[in-house]
Amino acid sequence: MSTPSHPAVERVAEALAAHGLSPEIVWFDDAVTTAPLAADALGVEVGQIANSLVFTLDDQPILVLTSGAHRVDTDWLGSQLGGTIGRASKETVKDATGQVIGGVAPLGHPSPVRTIVDTALAGYDEVWAAAGHAKTVFPTTFDELVRITGGTPHAVEASEAAR
């Protein structure tokens, strides 16, 4: 049986390789577009899923890699980052990442996207991120996510920052 292929997934694999990484990209039979679905399919805790959420920060795309265990407090995070966070349109997501909502990977984008990495992900030895398609994920670590994205570790909600 051949491994499925998709241009966005191939770009993610190439970007990972450029960082010296070659994790197995896992393909699912069905899309795993939510953290609970992905966690269930992998047999891991929902907090180990690194959701890739694209927002706008003062009209510029920003990628927030957040633990599947909680939501991003956009008002709080925007104030922490000195701006206003809004919902990105599907066109903005596609333009910024080259990928579609539900499968956005932390890397493999046409150009760098400012990235925030949820510090809650540091509580896990292994985290899972989308690999460019809604049916794909790859294993990584918090430290690797920060390194490969050039991201800034930051809490994404006030209650996490207080811990």
Side-chain angles (χ1 to χ4, degrees):
M1 183 171 140
S2 65
T3 301
S5 181
H6 187 276
V9 178
E10 291 169 14
R11 285 191 298 276
V12 170
E14 290 166 7
L16 287 163
H19 288 284
L21 302 173
S22 57
E24 177 186 2
I25 293 176
V26 176
W27 281 83
F28 296 108
D29 292 335
D30 297 309
V32 288
T33 54
T34 67
L37 286 174
D40 189 51
L42 291 164
V44 300
E45 292 179 44
V46 71
Q48 289 178 259
I49 305 302
N51 285 331
S52 298
L53 305 174
V54 179
F55 296 100
T56 57
L57 178 64
D58 297 334
D59 299 323
Q60 293 299 310
I62 183 169
L63 176 62
V64 180
L65 301 176
T66 184
S67 168
H70 59 260
R71 300 178 69 87
V72 176
D73 181 337
T74 54
D75 290 339
W76 180 83
L77 184 59
S79 70
Q80 293 290 301
L81 300 176
T84 302
I85 291 181
R87 181 181 299 258
S89 68
K90 63 183 178 183
E91 294 81 14
T92 297
V93 173
K94 178 78 168 150
D95 289 347
T97 67
Q99 302 157 8
V100 296
I101 293 171
V104 173
L107 73 173
H109 311 144
S111 58
V113 178
R114 181 177 178 187
T115 302
I116 301 299
V117 183
D118 185 355
T119 51
L121 292 167
Y124 300 96
D125 293 336
E126 180 179 65
V127 296
W128 291 82
H133 186 281
K135 293 184 177 183
T136 62
V137 293
F138 70 94
T140 187
T141 66
F142 171 79
D143 290 339
E144 277 185 354
L145 275 179
V146 171
R147 180 177 70 85
I148 66 179
T149 62
T152 302
H154 200 289
V156 299
E157 59 183 8
S159 61
E160 288 292 315
R163 289 183 188 169

